[in-house]
Amino acid sequence: MVSVTAVDAAAPAELGRRLAELGFLPGEAVRIVARGMMARAPIAVRIGTGTFALRLFEAACIRVCPEQPQPA
Amino acid sequence: MEALPSAPSPLIALVGNPNCGKTALFNILTGSRQKVANYAGVTVERKEGSLLTPSGLRVRILDLPGAYSLDPLTPDEQVTADVLLGRRTGETQPDFVVCVTDATNLRQNLRLVLSLKRLGLPMVVALNMSDIARRKGIVIDAERLAAELGVPVVETVGVKATGVRALIKVLDGLAIPGRTRQAAVWRTPSASDIEYDQSEVRRILGLVGGDRLDGVTISDRVDAVVLHPVFGPLILAGILFLVFQAVFAWAQVPMDAIRLGVAAFGHWLGAALPESLLKGLLINGVLAGVGSVLVFLPQIIILFFFILMLEDSGYLPRAAFLLDRVMGSVGLSGRAFIPLLSSFACAIPGIMATRTIQNPRDRLATIMIAPLMTCSARLPVYALIIGAFIPQRTLWGGLELQGVVLFGLYIVGVASAMAVAFVLKRSGRGTGFQALMLELPAYHWPNLRSLGIGLWQRVEIFMSRVGTIILALMVILWALSSFPAPPPGAAGPPIQYSIAGHLGAWLAVLFAPIGFNWQISIALVPGLAAREVAVGALGTVYALSATGDDVSGALTPLIAHSWSLPTAFSLLAWYVFAPQCLSTLATVKRETNSWRYPIIMAAYLFALAYTGSWITYRVAVALLS
């Protein structure tokens, strides 16, 4: 389990915006739930309570870091 | 549906994320016959219905396409945003918004609620799928949520009539004569807006609950198998194969029943009616033609049963996930899978479903190859020829040879679609990345009610085509095949002397190199209007060219005797590529807003069909001689 730090500033604007709309926002927890057969792509990513299929170049726009322990 | 003239009844818009159950809710509220499914973007058309509230208020309800935000990226979202902002020509701005949210996925859905609130239209938030949320142990404090948002919040269950009572009560209170419409104000959300929304969502979720991030859900466990790199594709192949086997095996009994029924009716009619022109029209034209198309109703029902089940359960986006790499290798988006799969039923809904593809070039490529997916209208033609020429034999493992051949024809269609897509990709200018970003919604048990509605819609469409286009064409074809009458003392079957006979003889010259006789050549013409008509037309042509009285005899043994095997294969190949039915071309014109693409499409499909049939015929002749 990792959490999103940011959507890459170098990502195409539309792509970054859509990722943000789907919930890929700083601090949200993400994890990979499945990978495709060929070249291990695309990937299925859990964000919050939703799951999205992403191609690798899309996923590459998301910067992540190991998840911070949740404040109690 | 046309907007009603400026009646005083308020216009209510249903807005929500894809997969929030909005369409099901719309069906319950309006009783509208509309398809319900849970892959992203099923709602591509404008759907309006009306509801009479208990106090006698008539409200109009508009089902807007699913949207993740009001800052549109797809044509679907553009429609939603434009309607809400009153920017869409010919569309009045809604008086009231019902924001439908998935109660099990509030974290994602609340962002849309917040941006709708910024719009300033009066609204209510519907916590939909509240039954599933409760079963999952998600408890949402609706009152607190209403207080935090400053708008009413009601719980709804979109698949149960009793699940919308609270919502109807809110709508009932809308009788505001002389209400003043608030101007919707829109500004593109800035980075700080997005940040603010996110912190708001977190704050509100913290207060009202409903933010249980379950560790491993049932859907996850299913996905562990269904999306598995090895088992996933095997399951997909198995499902597709099962569908095609079922289409042949399960349909046999009802098909025989229909065939016998039509034949019995023909005999009865033949005995009851005096010899006349009308009798010829009824038995040889109407009954022989329509009967031979009607017989395929069971197969169409079975095919749609499976497609609707897969849609409704949430499996379709998974199939798109599994096939994304394959699609990507020919330059298509995994999203193209859903329109393409719909095209197996009919290219028209498939082409309309391409509206959910963001990239215009991607979308065009998907539209262009959609007709290569074997639509259900081609099934009657395949079934007839396979039934006549492929022996009923069981291969190892209990597989039916006929089913295997049918599956093979579908595969050829898919393979040629991939090849065409690849050529398009090569010829097109590079457009950068093709996005996937497809939501994989939680699995649901298919809703029997919406499955029933969906199937009934298909039956209605098919039957109304049989009753209108097909019937009319059959009558015209019968007339063309009956007049002028043969000269006295003529030796051959009467149809040879008719207009159709002459037309067929002329077309037969064009089609002779690919092995078609004049009967087939005639049948291809009405087949342009609707492909399945070709079978009916063959029925009519053969019924009339039979010199005996055996007009109600089945078509199958007839063609089995009069066609050579290469001719049969050639016709199968023709129908893999079969030039478009006119309604598909009309849809392409509408969707691309230009005549250019339907013309290109018709031309390339004709070229493919002729080439494919020619090669098939020549190879078959060479191998069999």
Side-chain angles (χ1 to χ4, degrees):
Chain A
M1 186 72 102
V2 292
S3 74
V4 176
T5 50
V7 169
D8 199 332
E14 243 186 35
L15 190 60
R17 203 174 88 206
R18 174 44 46 111
L19 284 170
E21 281 164 4
L22 297 184
F24 293 95
L25 291 162
E28 301 287 328
V30 287
R31 85 188 145 88
I32 293 176
V33 282
R35 307 197 67 142
M37 171 183 52
M38 285 188 280
R40 315 218 351 110
I43 56 176
V45 179
R46 168 69 39 84
I47 173 100
T49 38
T51 311
F52 290 89
L54 300 180
R55 285 185 171 171
L56 290 184
F57 78 87
E58 294 161 345
C61 298
I62 305 166
R63 296 267 165 273
V64 294
C65 67
E67 196 174 28
Q68 308 296 316
Q70 291 277 328
Chain B
M1 205 195 289
E2 278 298 306
L4 300 171
S6 56
S9 50
L11 180 65
I12 292 161
L14 295 189
V15 189
N17 279 186
N19 302 307
C20 69
K22 187 169 57 65
T23 303
L25 197 67
F26 176 70
N27 280 345
I28 287 279
L29 284 173
T30 63
S32 138
R33 304 254 176 259
Q34 194 200 336
K35 211 163 60 151
V36 191
N38 63 356
Y39 62 83
V42 68
T43 316
V44 288
E45 288 202 302
R46 181 183 189 275
K47 307 269 185 185
E48 189 187 310
S50 82
L51 165 76
L52 192 64
T53 65
S55 73
L57 175 70
R58 166 84 49 198
V59 294
R60 294 186 295 143
I61 300 182
L62 189 61
D63 183 19
L64 289 175
Y68 287 108
S69 87
L70 296 177
D71 199 8
L73 282 175
T74 65
D76 266 24
E77 290 186 338
Q78 187 74 55
V79 169
T80 300
D82 284 352
V83 170
L84 287 173
L85 294 168
R87 288 191 306 215
R88 190 136 192 112
T89 29
E91 192 75 67
T92 43
Q93 194 178 11
D95 299 291
F96 194 75
V97 173
V98 176
C99 183
V100 187
T101 60
D102 173 358
T104 65
N105 197 4
L106 216 48
R107 182 178 269 263
Q108 182 192 309
N109 284 230
L110 270 184
R111 273 196 302 278
L112 182 65
V113 178
L114 292 176
S115 45
L116 273 172
K117 234 191 88 186
R118 264 207 292 280
L119 217 54
L121 284 170
M123 67 186 252
V124 56
V125 172
L127 286 175
N128 201 28
M129 306 202 210
S130 54
D131 55 334
I132 299 174
R134 205 162 298 138
R135 233 175 294 143
K136 279 188 166 178
I138 299 172
V139 184
I140 298 165
D141 183 347
E143 269 174 43
R144 188 74 199 259
L145 183 59
E148 288 301 324
L149 290 171
V151 298
V153 174
V154 293
E155 289 194 2
T156 56
V157 181
V159 292
K160 269 207 311 235
T162 51
V164 290
R165 279 202 194 123
L167 179 59
I168 290 178
K169 223 174 121 197
V170 171
L171 299 182
D172 211 2
L174 287 180
I176 328 155
R179 69 208 127 83
T180 47
R181 199 190 301 275
Q182 281 171 271
V185 198
W186 172 254
R187 55 191 172 85
T188 310
S190 63
S192 68
D193 283 336
I194 293 170
E195 230 167 81
Y196 173 77
D197 280 0
Q198 192 199 2
S199 63
E200 268 296 280
V201 168
R202 289 180 164 195
R203 188 181 68 81
I204 294 173
L205 282 179
L207 290 172
V208 305
D211 193 29
R212 229 191 60 175
L213 298 178
D214 342 58
V216 179
T217 62
I218 298 170
S219 283
D220 285 341
R221 282 197 209 115
V222 178
D223 275 341
V225 181
V226 167
L227 298 183
H228 188 274
V230 178
F231 300 130
L234 285 177
I235 292 171
L236 178 61
I239 288 176
L240 293 179
F241 198 79
L242 170 79
V243 172
F244 295 119
Q245 286 285 320
V247 163
F248 255 79
W250 301 1
Q252 206 52 54
V253 173
M255 283 175 80
D256 288 343
I258 293 175
R259 201 175 286 129
L260 285 175
V262 170
F265 186 64
H267 276 298
W268 176 82
L269 210 60
L273 289 177
E275 209 59 49
S276 68
L277 201 61
L278 180 71
K279 178 180 173 177
L281 169 66
L282 280 180
I283 295 179
N284 295 337
V286 177
L287 208 60
V290 171
S292 51
V293 178
L294 198 60
V295 90
F296 297 102
L297 182 63
Q299 291 188 326
I300 286 166
I301 291 177
I302 290 172
L303 183 69
F304 273 104
F305 170 79
F306 280 103
I307 289 183
L308 291 172
M309 286 274 283
L310 293 178
E311 258 185 32
D312 225 11
S313 63
Y315 183 75
L316 280 195
R318 268 78 182 183
F321 173 89
L322 290 169
L323 290 171
D324 186 63
R325 283 297 283 194
V326 183
M327 307 286 268
S329 65
V330 293
L332 293 170
S333 154
R335 276 172 180 261
F337 173 74
I338 292 165
L340 291 179
L341 194 86
S342 307
S343 302
F344 280 115
C346 175
I348 294 167
I351 287 167
M352 293 189 326
T354 61
R355 286 185 205 176
T356 54
I357 300 173
Q358 294 153 24
N359 183 318
R361 203 194 60 93
D362 251 22
R363 179 165 177 239
L364 193 60
T366 311
I367 289 176
M368 290 308 257
I369 64 167
L372 286 171
M373 302 294 124
T374 302
C375 69
S376 55
R378 265 175 277 193
L379 205 54
V381 184
Y382 285 171
L384 173 74
I385 301 171
I386 290 175
F389 289 93
I390 308 296
Q392 231 168 11
R393 198 172 351 124
T394 306
L395 305 176
W396 54 268
L399 299 178
E400 290 289 331
L401 179 61
Q402 294 187 338
V404 173
V405 171
L406 183 70
F407 190 65
L409 288 170
Y410 276 77
I411 295 291
V412 173
V414 173
S416 45
M418 292 294 158
V420 171
F422 188 72
V423 171
L424 286 175
K425 177 193 178 190
R426 275 300 158 96
S427 61
R429 295 156 298 277
T431 49
F433 297 119
Q434 274 113 35
L436 177 65
M437 286 200 258
L438 187 64
E439 184 167 5
L440 306 177
Y443 288 102
H444 292 288
W445 285 112
N447 178 240
L448 285 182
R449 185 175 165 277
S450 54
L451 185 69
I453 290 178
L455 270 184
W456 176 243
Q457 272 181 318
R458 297 302 138 195
V459 173
E460 258 185 333
I461 291 168
F462 183 76
M463 293 305 279
S464 70
R465 285 178 93 183
V466 168
T468 54
I469 302 177
I470 297 180
L471 183 64
L473 286 168
M474 288 307 133
V475 171
I476 291 169
L477 198 71
W478 172 82
L480 287 177
S481 324
S482 303
F483 304 104
I495 194 174
Q496 270 184 4
Y497 305 93
S498 67
I499 302 171
H502 291 294
L503 191 66
W506 182 80
L507 281 176
V509 177
L510 178 66
F511 288 120
I514 58 174
F516 292 181
N517 58 22
W518 60 269
Q519 288 96 333
I520 300 175
S521 306
I522 293 175
L524 289 180
V525 178
L528 276 178
R531 288 195 190 87
E532 64 269 42
V533 174
V535 172
L538 279 173
T540 310
V541 170
Y542 274 102
L544 287 169
S545 62
T547 39
D549 199 28
D550 184 29
V551 285
S552 56
L555 197 51
T556 307
L558 217 81
I559 65 165
H561 283 111
S562 59
W563 295 359
S564 69
L565 203 53
T567 293
F569 286 160
S570 171
L571 189 57
L572 281 179
W574 175 269
Y575 266 94
V576 168
F577 307 109
Q580 279 322 283
C581 64
L582 297 175
S583 25
T584 304
L585 291 174
T587 309
V588 174
K589 151 84 176 64
R590 202 179 65 207
E591 291 294 315
T592 60
N593 211 8
S594 125
W595 278 109
R596 191 178 153 190
Y597 297 106
I599 290 170
I600 293 176
M601 181 185 265
Y604 103 80
L605 286 173
F606 186 87
L608 268 185
Y610 199 91
T611 316
S613 291
W614 191 84
I615 294 170
T616 308
Y617 185 66
R618 294 294 143 187
V619 169
V621 166
L623 287 178
L624 292 169
S625 62

